[in-house]
Amino acid sequence: MSKGTKRNAKQTEEPKQRKKRSPKIKPPKQDEYFEDKRNLEDLWRETFPVGTEWDQLDSVYQYKWNFSNLENAFEEGGVLHGKRVYLFGCTEPQLVWFKDESKVVCIPVVVAVVSPFPPSDKIGINSVQRESEEIIPMTQMKMDWVPYIPLEDRASQVDRLKSQIFILSCTQRRAALKHLKLDRVKKYEYCLPYFYQPFKEDELEQSTEVQIMFPVEPKPVFCEFDWELDELEEFTDKLIEEEELSEDQKDTFKEFVKEKVREAKKANREASESRRKAIAEMSEETKAAFETMRFCKFYPMQSPDAPDVSNVKDDLLKGQILWNSVNSVEVIMCYVTTIKESSEGFE
């Protein structure tokens, strides 16, 4: 083999040089835009929905409810601007339409109480199964008024902030419910904020009705007896006629009703005495606060991400608050984006 041939063979044995690939030019990254969070965006979510069944809580938050009306109420010109406000939540189950489907939805509602001091430290436990409501301290149900910190202030020390917004909070953990007795768990479903209005009761007649739950077999007798309008003998005979009561239970039932009437009259007297004493010892500042206390009720605004509730709004707080007297305060409905305060009060 000649030298030239060997040289050619070596050249063929050398690895072929790879062709250089032209570098890929990456397209420039498009700027990502994130919607700024509003300062009070989570206010309605942070407010505990009193009286809502535990297993319904998740369904309340499955929709993107729009409470911009609540947020705007704290802006300049809004009905709550510059005021000390106490907020609590509740829910109203209603049949509504959403995305061409009719369904029962727990609609969240927020109630704002304009007051210079906490409007109540009590919770009422009330249900049709109970003979009478039970008034207990909030702390027994692990509830209390706590300051709400707007988003822009959450990096600050809480004790240095002079919060004007307080929310009803509950520290009961859902995971711990399984360790509680059923009656205790059910109490949360029957909770209603209890508000006492010492001046309004003078303007209203005290109730003369008593709720009767007479324990008898095969089923208890449920009825209302008015000691001013009803005559006990006739009242009892009518129950016997309707087969709600047997003839041999008549005398026992009458004694039962008389005892309930005595208890109710005694409770009325004690309540009147307690109220008069409280008013007598009350400072002028506290009296003025009670007289100017206002309640504002907020429903969610219309939004494509949540059911339309415009046809199911209720301007009353019945079933959401337990009063010491009926119709004891004015309720301001907050439907529109902003409600302005007039010189005469609230529009």
Side-chain angles (χ1 to χ4, degrees), residues 56-292:
Q56 294 297 315
L57 284 179
D58 290 335
S59 69
V60 176
Y61 304 115
Q62 67 176 315
Y63 301 108
K64 195 174 181 182
W65 299 103
N66 176 10
F67 275 91
S68 57
N69 53 340
L70 173 62
E71 299 169 40
N72 292 336
F74 287 95
E75 299 294 331
E76 187 172 352
V79 67
L80 303 178
H81 177 68
K83 302 182 185 300
R84 178 168 287 235
V85 180
Y86 294 82
L87 302 170
F88 68 90
C90 52
T91 53
E92 296 180 6
Q94 296 283 0
L95 183 65
V96 295
W97 280 90
F98 184 59
K99 294 184 177 179
D100 300 325
E101 185 181 0
S102 176
K103 59 171 66 176
V104 175
V105 173
C106 282
I107 300 169
V109 178
V110 177
V111 178
V113 187
V114 180
S115 173
F117 50 74
S120 176
D121 61 354
K122 300 287 193 298
I123 282 287
I125 312 294
N126 196 20
S127 73
V128 293
Q129 291 86 358
R130 290 174 174 266
E131 193 173 339
S132 61
E133 66 269 8
E134 179 184 2
I135 311 300
I136 60 175
M138 283 182 176
T139 51
Q140 283 191 22
M141 302 304 293
K142 296 189 175 181
M143 298 184 196
D144 202 0
W145 302 106
V146 299
Y148 170 78
I149 311 302
L151 292 175
E152 66 183 18
D153 296 327
R154 290 184 185 172
S156 308
Q157 291 185 10
V158 176
D159 56 351
R160 292 185 179 179
L161 296 173
K162 293 183 179 179
S163 181
Q164 289 287 89
I165 306 175
F166 295 83
I167 58 175
L168 188 62
S169 176
C170 179
T171 58
Q172 173 63 55
R173 293 184 301 111
R174 292 172 67 182
L177 291 174
K178 58 186 177 183
H179 302 299
L180 301 179
K181 291 182 179 180
L182 181 60
D183 182 61
R184 170 72 176 177
V185 175
K186 285 292 181 182
K187 270 189 173 183
Y188 282 96
E189 299 173 11
Y190 303 141
C191 279
L192 294 172
Y194 176 78
F195 293 100
Y196 181 70
Q197 290 287 336
F199 300 102
K200 298 293 181 178
E201 207 162 4
D202 280 334
E203 302 169 11
L204 301 166
E205 294 181 5
Q206 287 195 344
S207 174
T208 57
E209 290 184 352
V210 286
Q211 303 292 325
I212 303 297
M213 185 180 70
F214 183 55
V216 64
E217 296 297 336
K219 63 175 184 177
V221 176
F222 293 93
C223 57
E224 289 183 358
F225 179 79
D226 189 316
W227 66 74
E228 287 192 352
L229 301 179
D230 296 323
E231 201 282 318
L232 184 55
E233 186 74 22
E234 292 178 3
F235 186 86
T236 308
D237 288 342
K238 186 176 181 181
L239 288 175
I240 294 172
E241 183 183 332
E242 295 172 349
E243 298 184 349
E244 293 288 335
L245 201 65
S246 63
E247 185 69 40
D248 61 342
Q249 295 166 337
K250 180 175 180 178
D251 291 339
T252 308
F253 176 78
K254 288 169 65 177
E255 287 302 317
F256 184 84
V257 173
K258 288 177 183 178
E259 179 59 29
K260 292 299 176 185
V261 169
R262 284 192 290 269
E263 291 176 1
K265 287 181 176 180
K266 180 182 177 183
N268 280 356
R269 285 195 303 270
E270 291 177 350
S272 295
E273 291 170 6
S274 175
R275 178 172 48 83
R276 284 194 292 268
K277 182 180 178 183
I279 293 174
E281 296 175 352
M282 197 177 290
S283 68
E284 292 301 318
E285 184 181 358
T286 303
K287 287 180 183 178
F290 273 113
E291 290 168 353
T292 58

Side-chain angles (χ1 to χ4, degrees), residues 294-308:
R294 294 290 182 270
F295 289 72
C296 307
K297 187 176 182 182
F298 292 85
Y299 280 91
M301 301 289 286
Q302 192 166 346
S303 162
D305 302 316
D308 180 11

